[in-house]
Coordinates of all heavy atoms in Angstrom, one line a residue:
M104 N 0.8 -1.2 0.0 CA 0.0 0.0 0.0 C 0.9 1.3 0.0 O 1.8 1.4 0.7 CB -0.9 0.0 1.2 CG -1.8 1.1 1.3 SD -3.1 0.8 2.6 CE -4.0 2.3 2.4
K105 N 0.5 2.2 -0.9 CA 1.4 3.4 -1.0 C 1.0 4.4 0.1 O -0.1 4.5 0.5 CB 1.1 4.0 -2.4 CG 1.6 3.2 -3.5 CD 1.4 3.9 -4.8 CE 2.0 3.0 -5.9 NZ 1.8 3.5 -7.2
T106 N 2.1 5.1 0.5 CA 1.9 6.2 1.5 C 1.5 7.4 0.8 O 2.2 7.8 -0.1 CB 3.1 6.4 2.3 OG1 3.5 5.1 2.9 CG2 2.9 7.4 3.4
L107 N 0.4 8.1 1.2 CA 0.0 9.3 0.6 C 0.7 10.4 1.3 O 0.8 10.5 2.5 CB -1.5 9.4 0.7 CG -2.3 8.4 -0.1 CD1 -3.8 8.5 0.1 CD2 -2.0 8.4 -1.6
R108 N 1.0 11.5 0.5 CA 1.7 12.7 1.0 C 0.7 13.4 1.9 O -0.5 13.6 1.6 CB 2.1 13.5 -0.1 CG 3.0 14.7 0.3 CD 3.3 15.6 -0.8 NE 3.5 15.0 -2.1 CZ 3.5 15.7 -3.3 NH1 3.3 17.0 -3.3 NH2 3.6 15.1 -4.4
P109 N 1.2 13.8 3.1 CA 0.3 14.6 3.9 C -0.1 15.9 3.3 O 0.6 16.4 2.5 CB 1.2 14.9 5.2 CG 2.6 14.6 4.8 CD 2.6 13.7 3.6
I110 N -1.3 16.3 3.7 CA -1.8 17.6 3.1 C -1.7 18.7 4.2 O -1.4 18.4 5.4 CB -3.2 17.5 2.6 CG1 -4.1 17.1 3.7 CG2 -3.3 16.5 1.4 CD1 -5.6 17.1 3.3
T111 N -1.9 19.9 3.8 CA -1.6 21.0 4.7 C -2.8 21.3 5.6 O -2.6 22.0 6.6 CB -1.3 22.3 3.9 OG1 -2.4 22.5 3.0 CG2 -0.1 22.1 3.1
C112 N -4.0 21.0 5.3 CA -5.1 21.3 6.1 C -6.0 20.1 6.3 O -6.7 19.7 5.4 CB -5.9 22.4 5.4 SG -7.4 22.9 6.3
R113 N -6.0 19.5 7.6 CA -6.9 18.4 7.8 C -7.5 18.5 9.2 O -6.9 19.1 10.1 CB -6.1 17.1 7.7 CG -5.6 16.8 6.3 CD -4.8 15.6 6.2 NE -5.7 14.5 6.2 CZ -5.4 13.2 5.8 NH1 -4.2 13.0 5.4 NH2 -6.3 12.2 5.9
V114 N -8.6 17.9 9.3 CA -9.3 17.9 10.6 C -9.7 16.5 11.0 O -10.8 16.3 11.4 CB -10.5 18.9 10.6 CG1 -10.1 20.3 10.5 CG2 -11.4 18.6 9.4
D115 N -8.8 15.6 10.8 CA -9.1 14.2 10.9 C -9.7 13.9 12.3 O -10.7 13.1 12.3 CB -7.8 13.3 10.8 CG -7.3 13.4 9.4 OD1 -7.9 14.0 8.5 OD2 -6.2 12.8 9.2
E116 N -9.2 14.4 13.4 CA -9.8 14.0 14.7 C -11.2 14.5 14.8 O -12.0 13.8 15.4 CB -8.9 14.5 15.8 CG -7.5 13.8 15.9 CD -6.7 14.4 17.1 OE1 -7.2 14.9 18.0 OE2 -5.5 14.2 17.0
L117 N -11.4 15.7 14.3 CA -12.7 16.4 14.5 C -13.8 15.6 13.7 O -14.9 15.4 14.1 CB -12.7 17.8 14.1 CG -11.8 18.7 15.0 CD1 -11.7 20.1 14.4 CD2 -12.4 18.8 16.4
I118 N -13.4 15.2 12.5 CA -14.5 14.6 11.6 C -14.6 13.1 11.9 O -15.5 12.5 11.3 CB -14.2 14.9 10.1 CG1 -12.9 14.3 9.7 CG2 -14.2 16.3 9.9 CD1 -12.7 14.4 8.2
S119 N -13.7 12.5 12.6 CA -13.7 11.0 12.9 C -15.0 10.6 13.6 O -15.4 9.4 13.5 CB -12.5 10.6 13.6 OG -12.5 11.1 14.9
V120 N -15.7 11.5 14.2 CA -16.9 11.2 14.9 C -18.2 11.3 14.1 O -19.3 10.9 14.5 CB -17.1 11.9 16.2 CG1 -15.9 11.6 17.2 CG2 -17.1 13.5 16.0
D121 N -18.0 11.9 12.9 CA -19.1 12.2 12.1 C -19.6 10.9 11.3 O -18.8 9.9 11.2 CB -18.9 13.2 11.0 CG -18.6 14.6 11.6 OD1 -19.2 14.9 12.7 OD2 -17.8 15.4 11.1
K122 N -20.8 10.9 10.8 CA -21.2 9.7 10.1 C -21.5 10.1 8.6 O -21.9 11.3 8.3 CB -22.6 9.2 10.6 CG -22.5 8.5 11.9 CD -23.8 8.0 12.4 CE -24.3 6.9 11.4 NZ -25.6 6.3 11.9
F123 N -21.3 9.2 7.7 CA -21.4 9.5 6.3 C -22.3 8.4 5.6 O -22.0 7.2 5.8 CB -20.1 9.5 5.6 CG -19.1 10.6 6.1 CD1 -18.3 10.3 7.1 CD2 -19.1 11.9 5.6 CE1 -17.4 11.3 7.6 CE2 -18.3 12.8 6.0 CZ -17.4 12.5 7.1
A124 N -23.3 8.9 4.9 CA -24.1 7.9 4.1 C -23.8 8.2 2.7 O -24.1 9.3 2.1 CB -25.6 8.2 4.4
V125 N -23.0 7.3 2.1 CA -22.5 7.5 0.8 C -23.5 7.0 -0.3 O -23.9 5.9 -0.3 CB -21.2 6.8 0.6 CG1 -20.6 7.1 -0.8 CG2 -20.2 7.4 1.7
D126 N -23.8 7.9 -1.3 CA -24.6 7.5 -2.4 C -23.7 6.9 -3.5 O -23.1 7.6 -4.2 CB -25.3 8.8 -3.0 CG -26.4 8.4 -4.1 OD1 -26.3 7.2 -4.6 OD2 -27.1 9.3 -4.5
E127 N -23.7 5.6 -3.5 CA -22.8 4.9 -4.4 C -23.2 5.0 -5.8 O -22.4 4.8 -6.8 CB -22.7 3.4 -4.0 CG -22.3 3.1 -2.6 CD -20.8 3.3 -2.3 OE1 -20.1 3.6 -3.3 OE2 -20.4 3.2 -1.1
E128 N -24.4 5.3 -6.1 CA -25.0 5.4 -7.4 C -24.8 6.8 -8.1 O -24.9 6.9 -9.3 CB -26.5 5.0 -7.4 CG -26.8 3.7 -6.8 CD -26.2 2.5 -7.5 OE1 -26.2 2.6 -8.8 OE2 -25.7 1.6 -6.9
N129 N -24.6 7.8 -7.3 CA -24.7 9.1 -7.8 C -23.6 10.0 -7.0 O -23.9 10.5 -6.0 CB -26.1 9.7 -7.6 CG -26.1 11.1 -8.2 OD1 -25.5 11.5 -9.1 ND2 -27.0 11.9 -7.5
A130 N -22.4 10.1 -7.7 CA -21.4 10.9 -7.1 C -21.8 12.4 -7.1 O -22.3 12.9 -8.1 CB -20.1 10.8 -7.8
H131 N -21.7 13.0 -6.0 CA -22.2 14.5 -5.9 C -21.1 15.4 -6.3 O -21.4 16.6 -6.6 CB -22.8 14.8 -4.5 CG -21.7 15.0 -3.5 ND1 -21.2 13.9 -2.8 CD2 -21.2 16.1 -2.9 CE1 -20.3 14.3 -1.9 NE2 -20.3 15.6 -1.9
I132 N -19.9 14.9 -6.5 CA -18.8 15.7 -7.0 C -18.2 14.8 -8.1 O -17.9 13.7 -8.0 CB -17.7 15.9 -6.0 CG1 -18.3 16.8 -4.8 CG2 -16.5 16.7 -6.6 CD1 -17.4 16.9 -3.6
E133 N -17.9 15.5 -9.3 CA -17.2 14.9 -10.4 C -16.2 15.8 -10.9 O -16.4 17.0 -11.0 CB -18.2 14.5 -11.5 CG -19.1 13.4 -11.1 CD -20.1 13.0 -12.2 OE1 -20.0 13.5 -13.4 OE2 -21.0 12.2 -12.0
L134 N -15.1 15.2 -11.3 CA -14.0 16.0 -11.9 C -13.9 15.9 -13.4 O -14.4 14.9 -13.9 CB -12.6 15.5 -11.3 CG -12.5 15.6 -9.8 CD1 -11.2 15.1 -9.3 CD2 -12.7 17.1 -9.3
A135 N -13.4 16.9 -14.0 CA -13.4 17.0 -15.5 C -12.3 16.1 -16.1 O -11.4 16.7 -16.7 CB -13.3 18.4 -15.9
C136 N -12.5 14.8 -16.0 CA -11.4 14.0 -16.6 C -11.9 12.5 -16.6 O -12.7 12.2 -15.8 CB -10.1 14.1 -15.8 SG -10.2 13.4 -14.1
D137 N -11.2 11.7 -17.4 CA -11.4 10.2 -17.3 C -10.4 9.6 -16.3 O -10.7 8.6 -15.7 CB -11.3 9.6 -18.6 CG -12.4 10.0 -19.6 OD1 -13.6 10.2 -19.1 OD2 -12.2 10.2 -20.8
S138 N -9.3 10.3 -16.3 CA -8.2 9.9 -15.4 C -7.6 11.0 -14.6 O -7.4 12.1 -15.2 CB -7.1 9.2 -16.2 OG -5.9 9.1 -15.5
L139 N -7.4 10.8 -13.3 CA -6.9 11.9 -12.5 C -5.6 12.5 -13.0 O -5.2 13.6 -12.8 CB -6.8 11.5 -11.0 CG -8.1 11.2 -10.3 CD1 -7.9 10.7 -8.9 CD2 -9.0 12.4 -10.3
S140 N -4.8 11.6 -13.6 CA -3.5 12.1 -14.1 C -3.6 13.1 -15.2 O -2.6 13.8 -15.5 CB -2.7 10.8 -14.6 OG -3.3 10.2 -15.7
E141 N -4.7 13.2 -15.8 CA -4.9 14.2 -16.9 C -5.1 15.6 -16.4 O -5.0 16.5 -17.1 CB -6.2 13.8 -17.8 CG -6.1 12.5 -18.4 CD -7.4 12.0 -19.1 OE1 -8.4 12.8 -19.0 OE2 -7.4 10.9 -19.6
L142 N -5.5 15.7 -15.1 CA -5.9 17.0 -14.6 C -4.6 17.9 -14.4 O -3.5 17.5 -14.1 CB -6.5 16.8 -13.2 CG -7.9 16.1 -13.3 CD1 -8.3 15.8 -11.8 CD2 -8.9 17.0 -14.0
D143 N -4.9 19.2 -14.6 CA -3.9 20.2 -14.5 C -3.3 20.1 -13.0 O -4.0 20.1 -12.0 CB -4.5 21.5 -14.7 CG -3.5 22.7 -14.5 OD1 -2.9 23.0 -15.6 OD2 -3.3 23.2 -13.4
A144 N -2.0 20.1 -13.0 CA -1.3 19.9 -11.7 C -1.5 21.0 -10.7 O -1.6 20.9 -9.5 CB 0.2 19.7 -11.9
V145 N -1.5 22.3 -11.2 CA -1.8 23.4 -10.4 C -3.1 23.4 -9.8 O -3.4 23.6 -8.6 CB -1.5 24.7 -11.2 CG1 -1.9 25.9 -10.3 CG2 -0.1 24.8 -11.6
E146 N -4.1 23.1 -10.6 CA -5.5 23.0 -10.1 C -5.7 21.9 -9.2 O -6.4 22.0 -8.1 CB -6.4 22.9 -11.3 CG -6.5 24.2 -12.2 CD -6.9 25.4 -11.4 OE1 -8.0 25.4 -10.9 OE2 -6.1 26.4 -11.4
F147 N -5.1 20.7 -9.5 CA -5.3 19.6 -8.6 C -4.6 19.9 -7.2 O -5.1 19.6 -6.1 CB -4.8 18.3 -9.1 CG -5.3 17.1 -8.4 CD1 -6.6 16.6 -8.5 CD2 -4.4 16.4 -7.5 CE1 -7.1 15.5 -7.9 CE2 -4.9 15.3 -6.8 CZ -6.2 14.8 -7.0
G148 N -3.4 20.6 -7.3 CA -2.8 21.0 -6.1 C -3.6 21.9 -5.2 O -3.5 21.8 -4.0
K149 N -4.4 22.8 -5.9 CA -5.3 23.6 -5.0 C -6.3 22.7 -4.3 O -6.5 23.0 -3.1 CB -6.1 24.5 -6.0 CG -5.4 25.6 -6.6 CD -6.4 26.4 -7.5 CE -5.7 27.5 -8.4 NZ -6.8 28.1 -9.2
L150 N -6.8 21.7 -4.9 CA -7.7 20.9 -4.2 C -7.1 20.1 -3.1 O -7.7 19.9 -2.0 CB -8.4 19.9 -5.2 CG -9.2 20.5 -6.4 CD1 -9.7 19.5 -7.3 CD2 -10.3 21.4 -5.9
I151 N -5.9 19.7 -3.3 CA -5.2 19.0 -2.2 C -5.0 19.9 -1.0 O -5.3 19.5 0.2 CB -3.8 18.6 -2.7 CG1 -3.9 17.4 -3.7 CG2 -2.9 18.1 -1.5 CD1 -2.6 17.1 -4.4
R152 N -4.7 21.2 -1.2 CA -4.5 22.1 -0.1 C -5.8 22.6 0.5 O -5.8 22.8 1.7 CB -3.7 23.3 -0.6 CG -2.2 22.9 -1.0 CD -1.4 24.2 -1.2 NE -1.9 25.0 -2.3 CZ -1.7 24.8 -3.6 NH1 -0.9 23.8 -3.9 NH2 -2.2 25.6 -4.5
V153 N -6.9 22.7 -0.2 CA -8.0 23.3 0.4 C -9.0 22.3 1.1 O -9.9 22.8 1.9 CB -8.8 24.2 -0.6 CG1 -7.9 25.3 -1.1 CG2 -9.4 23.5 -1.7
C154 N -9.1 21.1 0.6 CA -10.1 20.2 1.1 C -9.8 19.8 2.5 O -8.8 19.1 2.8 CB -10.2 18.9 0.3 SG -11.3 17.7 0.9
P155 N -10.6 20.2 3.5 CA -10.4 19.9 4.9 C -10.5 18.4 5.2 O -9.9 18.0 6.3 CB -11.4 20.7 5.7 CG -12.5 20.9 4.7 CD -11.9 20.9 3.3
A156 N -11.1 17.7 4.4 CA -11.2 16.2 4.7 C -10.1 15.4 4.0 O -10.0 14.2 4.2 CB -12.6 15.7 4.2
G157 N -9.3 16.1 3.2 CA -8.2 15.4 2.6 C -8.6 14.4 1.6 O -7.9 13.3 1.4
L158 N -9.6 14.7 0.8 CA -10.1 13.8 -0.1 C -9.4 13.8 -1.5 O -9.5 12.9 -2.3 CB -11.6 14.0 -0.4 CG -12.5 13.9 0.9 CD1 -13.9 14.1 0.6 CD2 -12.2 12.5 1.6
Y159 N -8.7 14.8 -1.7 CA -7.8 14.9 -2.9 C -6.4 14.7 -2.4 O -5.9 15.3 -1.6 CB -7.9 16.3 -3.5 CG -9.3 16.7 -3.9 CD1 -10.2 17.4 -3.0 CD2 -9.8 16.5 -5.2 CE1 -11.4 17.8 -3.4 CE2 -11.1 16.8 -5.6 CZ -11.9 17.5 -4.7 OH -13.2 17.8 -5.1
R160 N -5.8 13.7 -3.1 CA -4.5 13.3 -2.6 C -3.5 13.0 -3.8 O -3.9 12.7 -4.9 CB -4.5 12.1 -1.7 CG -5.4 12.2 -0.5 CD -5.4 10.9 0.3 NE -6.4 11.2 1.4 CZ -6.4 10.4 2.5 NH1 -5.6 9.4 2.6 NH2 -7.2 10.6 3.4
E161 N -2.2 13.2 -3.5 CA -1.2 12.8 -4.4 C 0.0 12.2 -3.7 O 0.5 12.9 -2.7 CB -0.8 14.0 -5.3 CG 0.2 13.7 -6.4 CD 0.5 14.9 -7.3 OE1 1.2 15.8 -6.8 OE2 -0.2 15.0 -8.3
D162 N 0.5 11.0 -4.0 CA 1.6 10.4 -3.3 C 2.9 10.9 -3.8 O 2.9 11.7 -4.8 CB 1.4 8.9 -3.3 CG 1.6 8.2 -4.6 OD1 2.2 8.9 -5.5 OD2 1.3 7.0 -4.8
E163 N 3.9 10.4 -3.3 CA 5.3 10.8 -3.7 C 5.7 10.5 -5.1 O 6.6 11.0 -5.6 CB 6.3 10.2 -2.7 CG 6.4 8.7 -2.7 CD 5.4 8.0 -1.8 OE1 4.6 8.8 -1.1 OE2 5.4 6.8 -1.8
N164 N 4.9 9.5 -5.7 CA 5.2 9.2 -7.1 C 4.2 9.9 -8.0 O 4.2 9.7 -9.2 CB 4.9 7.7 -7.3 CG 5.9 6.9 -6.4 OD1 7.1 7.2 -6.4 ND2 5.4 5.9 -5.8
G165 N 3.5 10.8 -7.5 CA 2.6 11.6 -8.3 C 1.2 11.0 -8.6 O 0.5 11.5 -9.5
E166 N 1.0 9.8 -8.0 CA -0.3 9.1 -8.2 C -1.4 9.8 -7.4 O -1.2 10.0 -6.2 CB -0.2 7.7 -7.8 CG -1.4 6.9 -8.2 CD -1.2 5.4 -8.2 OE1 0.0 4.9 -8.4 OE2 -2.1 4.7 -7.9
R167 N -2.4 10.2 -8.1 CA -3.5 10.9 -7.5 C -4.7 10.1 -7.1 O -4.9 9.0 -7.7 CB -4.0 12.0 -8.5 CG -2.9 13.0 -8.8 CD -3.3 13.9 -10.0 NE -2.3 14.9 -10.2 CZ -2.4 15.7 -11.2 NH1 -3.4 15.7 -12.1 NH2 -1.4 16.6 -11.5
A168 N -5.4 10.6 -6.1 CA -6.6 9.9 -5.7 C -7.7 10.9 -5.3 O -7.4 12.0 -4.8 CB -6.3 9.0 -4.5
F169 N -8.9 10.5 -5.5 CA -10.0 11.4 -5.0 C -11.2 10.4 -4.8 O -11.5 9.5 -5.6 CB -10.5 12.4 -6.1 CG -11.8 13.0 -5.7 CD1 -11.9 13.9 -4.6 CD2 -12.9 12.9 -6.5 CE1 -13.1 14.4 -4.2 CE2 -14.1 13.4 -6.1 CZ -14.2 14.2 -5.0
D170 N -11.9 10.6 -3.7 CA -13.1 9.9 -3.4 C -14.1 10.8 -2.7 O -13.8 11.4 -1.6 CB -12.8 8.7 -2.5 CG -13.9 7.8 -2.4 OD1 -15.1 8.1 -2.7 OD2 -13.7 6.7 -1.8
Y171 N -15.3 11.0 -3.2 CA -16.3 11.9 -2.6 C -16.8 11.4 -1.3 O -17.5 12.1 -0.5 CB -17.4 12.2 -3.6 CG -18.3 11.0 -4.0 CD1 -19.4 10.6 -3.3 CD2 -17.8 10.2 -5.1 CE1 -20.2 9.5 -3.6 CE2 -18.6 9.1 -5.5 CZ -19.8 8.8 -4.8 OH -20.5 7.7 -5.1
A172 N -16.6 10.1 -1.0 CA -17.1 9.6 0.3 C -16.2 10.3 1.4 O -15.0 10.3 1.2 CB -16.9 8.0 0.4
G173 N -16.9 10.8 2.4 CA -16.2 11.4 3.4 C -16.2 12.9 3.3 O -15.6 13.7 4.0
C174 N -16.9 13.4 2.2 CA -17.0 14.8 1.9 C -17.8 15.6 3.1 O -18.8 15.0 3.5 CB -17.8 15.0 0.6 SG -18.1 16.7 0.2
L175 N -17.3 16.7 3.4 CA -17.9 17.5 4.5 C -19.0 18.5 4.0 O -19.5 19.3 4.7 CB -16.8 18.2 5.3 CG -15.8 17.3 6.0 CD1 -14.7 18.2 6.6 CD2 -16.5 16.5 7.0
E176 N -19.1 18.5 2.6 CA -20.0 19.4 2.0 C -19.8 20.9 2.3 O -20.7 21.7 2.3 CB -21.5 19.0 2.3 CG -21.8 17.6 2.0 CD -23.1 17.1 2.6 OE1 -24.1 17.9 2.7 OE2 -23.2 15.9 2.9
C177 N -18.5 21.2 2.4 CA -18.2 22.6 2.7 C -18.2 23.4 1.4 O -18.3 24.7 1.5 CB -16.8 22.7 3.3 SG -15.4 22.1 2.3
G178 N -18.0 22.8 0.3 CA -18.0 23.6 -1.0 C -16.7 24.3 -1.4 O -16.7 24.9 -2.4
T179 N -15.7 24.0 -0.6 CA -14.5 24.8 -0.9 C -13.8 24.4 -2.2 O -13.3 25.2 -2.9 CB -13.4 24.5 0.3 OG1 -14.1 24.8 1.5 CG2 -12.2 25.3 0.1
C180 N -13.9 23.1 -2.5 CA -13.3 22.7 -3.8 C -14.1 23.3 -5.0 O -13.5 23.6 -6.0 CB -13.3 21.2 -3.9 SG -14.9 20.3 -3.8
R181 N -15.4 23.5 -4.8 CA -16.2 24.1 -5.8 C -15.8 25.5 -6.0 O -15.6 26.0 -7.2 CB -17.7 24.0 -5.4 CG -18.6 24.7 -6.4 CD -20.0 24.6 -5.8 NE -21.0 25.1 -6.7 CZ -22.3 25.3 -6.4 NH1 -22.8 24.9 -5.3 NH2 -23.1 25.7 -7.3
I182 N -15.6 26.2 -4.9 CA -15.1 27.6 -5.0 C -13.7 27.7 -5.7 O -13.5 28.6 -6.5 CB -15.1 28.3 -3.6 CG1 -16.5 28.3 -3.0 CG2 -14.5 29.7 -3.7 CD1 -17.5 29.1 -3.7
A183 N -12.9 26.8 -5.3 CA -11.5 26.8 -5.8 C -11.4 26.5 -7.3 O -10.6 27.1 -8.0 CB -10.6 25.9 -5.0
C184 N -12.2 25.5 -7.7 CA -11.9 25.0 -9.1 C -13.1 24.7 -9.9 O -13.0 23.9 -10.9 CB -11.1 23.7 -8.9 SG -9.4 24.0 -8.2
A185 N -14.3 25.3 -9.6 CA -15.5 25.1 -10.4 C -15.3 25.5 -11.9 O -15.9 25.0 -12.8 CB -16.6 25.8 -9.8
D186 N -14.4 26.5 -12.1 CA -14.2 27.0 -13.4 C -13.1 26.2 -14.2 O -12.9 26.4 -15.4 CB -13.7 28.5 -13.4 CG -14.8 29.4 -12.9 OD1 -16.0 29.0 -13.0 OD2 -14.4 30.5 -12.4
T187 N -12.5 25.2 -13.5 CA -11.4 24.5 -14.2 C -11.7 23.0 -14.1 O -12.2 22.4 -15.1 CB -10.1 24.8 -13.5 OG1 -10.1 24.5 -12.1 CG2 -9.7 26.2 -13.8
I188 N -11.4 22.3 -12.9 CA -11.5 20.8 -13.0 C -12.6 20.2 -12.2 O -12.7 19.0 -12.2 CB -10.1 20.2 -12.6 CG1 -9.7 20.6 -11.2 CG2 -9.0 20.7 -13.6 CD1 -8.5 19.9 -10.7
V189 N -13.3 21.0 -11.4 CA -14.5 20.4 -10.7 C -15.6 20.6 -11.6 O -16.2 21.7 -11.8 CB -14.8 21.1 -9.3 CG1 -16.0 20.6 -8.7 CG2 -13.6 20.8 -8.4
K190 N -16.1 19.5 -12.3 CA -17.1 19.6 -13.3 C -18.5 19.6 -12.7 O -19.4 20.2 -13.3 CB -16.9 18.3 -14.2 CG -18.0 18.2 -15.3 CD -17.7 17.0 -16.2 CE -18.1 15.7 -15.5 NZ -17.9 14.5 -16.3
K191 N -18.7 18.9 -11.6 CA -20.0 18.8 -11.0 C -19.9 18.9 -9.5 O -18.9 18.2 -8.9 CB -20.6 17.4 -11.4 CG -21.9 17.1 -10.6 CD -22.4 15.7 -11.0 CE -23.4 15.2 -10.0 NZ -23.8 13.8 -10.2
W192 N -20.7 19.7 -8.9 CA -20.7 19.8 -7.4 C -22.2 20.0 -7.0 O -22.7 21.1 -7.2 CB -19.8 20.8 -6.8 CG -19.6 20.7 -5.4 CD1 -18.4 20.3 -4.9 CD2 -20.5 20.9 -4.3 NE1 -18.5 20.2 -3.5 CE2 -19.8 20.7 -3.1 CE3 -21.8 21.4 -4.2 CZ2 -20.4 20.8 -1.8 CZ3 -22.4 21.5 -2.9 CH2 -21.6 21.2 -1.7
N193 N -22.9 19.0 -6.5 CA -24.2 19.1 -6.0 C -24.3 18.7 -4.5 O -23.4 18.0 -4.1 CB -25.2 18.3 -6.8 CG -25.3 18.7 -8.2 OD1 -25.2 19.9 -8.5 ND2 -25.4 17.8 -9.1
Q194 N -25.3 19.1 -3.8 CA -25.5 18.5 -2.5 C -25.8 17.1 -2.7 O -26.4 16.7 -3.7 CB -26.7 19.2 -1.8 CG -26.5 20.6 -1.4 CD -25.5 20.7 -0.3 OE1 -25.4 19.9 0.5 NE2 -24.7 21.8 -0.3
P195 N -25.4 16.2 -1.8 CA -25.7 14.7 -1.9 C -27.3 14.6 -1.9 O -28.0 15.4 -1.5 CB -25.1 14.1 -0.6 CG -24.1 15.1 -0.2 CD -24.6 16.4 -0.6
S196 N -27.7 13.4 -2.4 CA -29.1 13.1 -2.5 C -29.7 13.0 -1.1 O -29.0 12.9 -0.1 CB -29.2 11.7 -3.2 OG -28.6 11.7 -4.4
A197 N -31.0 13.1 -1.1 CA -31.7 13.0 0.2 C -31.2 11.8 1.0 O -31.1 10.7 0.5 CB -33.2 13.0 0.0
F198 N -31.0 12.0 2.3 CA -30.6 11.0 3.3 C -29.2 10.5 3.1 O -28.8 9.5 3.7 CB -31.6 9.8 3.3 CG -33.0 10.2 3.4 CD1 -33.9 10.1 2.4 CD2 -33.5 10.7 4.7 CE1 -35.3 10.5 2.5 CE2 -34.9 11.2 4.8 CZ -35.7 11.0 3.7
C199 N -28.5 11.2 2.2 CA -27.1 10.9 2.0 C -26.2 12.1 2.4 O -26.8 13.2 2.7 CB -26.8 10.6 0.6 SG -27.6 9.0 0.0
G200 N -25.0 11.8 2.6 CA -24.0 12.9 2.9 C -23.6 12.7 4.4 O -23.8 11.7 5.0
V201 N -23.0 13.8 4.9 CA -22.5 13.8 6.2 C -23.6 14.1 7.3 O -24.5 14.9 7.0 CB -21.3 14.9 6.3 CG1 -21.9 16.3 6.1 CG2 -20.6 14.8 7.6
S202 N -23.4 13.5 8.4 CA -24.2 13.8 9.6 C -23.2 14.2 10.7 O -22.4 13.4 11.1 CB -25.0 12.6 10.1 OG -26.0 12.3 9.1
Y203 N -23.2 15.5 11.0 CA -22.2 16.0 12.0 C -22.7 15.5 13.4 O -23.8 15.6 13.8 CB -22.1 17.5 11.9 CG -21.4 18.0 10.7 CD1 -22.1 18.5 9.7 CD2 -20.0 17.9 10.7 CE1 -21.4 18.8 8.5 CE2 -19.3 18.4 9.5 CZ -20.0 18.8 8.4 OH -19.4 19.2 7.3
R204 N -21.7 15.1 14.2 CA -21.9 14.7 15.5 C -21.8 15.8 16.6 O -22.2 15.8 17.7 CB -21.0 13.5 15.9 CG -21.3 12.3 15.1 CD -22.6 11.6 15.6 NE -22.9 10.4 14.9 CZ -22.5 9.2 15.2 NH1 -21.7 9.1 16.3 NH2 -22.8 8.2 14.5
F205 N -20.9 16.8 16.1 CA -20.7 18.0 17.0 C -20.9 19.2 16.2 O -20.6 19.2 15.0 CB -19.3 18.0 17.6 CG -19.0 16.8 18.5 CD1 -18.2 15.8 18.1 CD2 -19.5 16.8 19.7 CE1 -18.0 14.7 18.9 CE2 -19.3 15.7 20.6 CZ -18.5 14.7 20.1
G206 N -21.3 20.3 16.8 CA -21.3 21.6 16.1 C -22.6 21.8 15.4 O -23.4 21.0 15.3
Ligands
SF4_314 S1 -16.9 19.9 -0.5 FE1 -15.2 20.3 1.0 S2 -15.0 18.3 2.0 FE2 -16.1 17.9 0.2 S3 -14.5 17.4 -1.4 FE3 -14.9 19.6 -1.5 S4 -13.4 20.6 -0.2 FE4 -13.5 18.4 0.3

């Protein structure tokens, strides 16, 4: 298993108590590519830095990963890259998404 590079902004401990109901049939976030390696490095780098859940990742070999499961629905990635590589950003379907345990 590859080690993923740490990101600059994470709230792992805080979000570990939240619950997530993932809509496996309908991703609420989609990126503008067939393969993550095709995405602009600067734009993908923005997503790595701004996502508080650390859902956009790149390891030391440049291999990228993204999974909308675990999304906090903050919309930061939409603000950062809706004009470039975030092709779709919707609220999750009814009864899906994050349930905050605190706050
Ligand atoms: S909405 Fe927020 S938590 Fe979800 S993927 Fe975008 S930046 Fe990450």
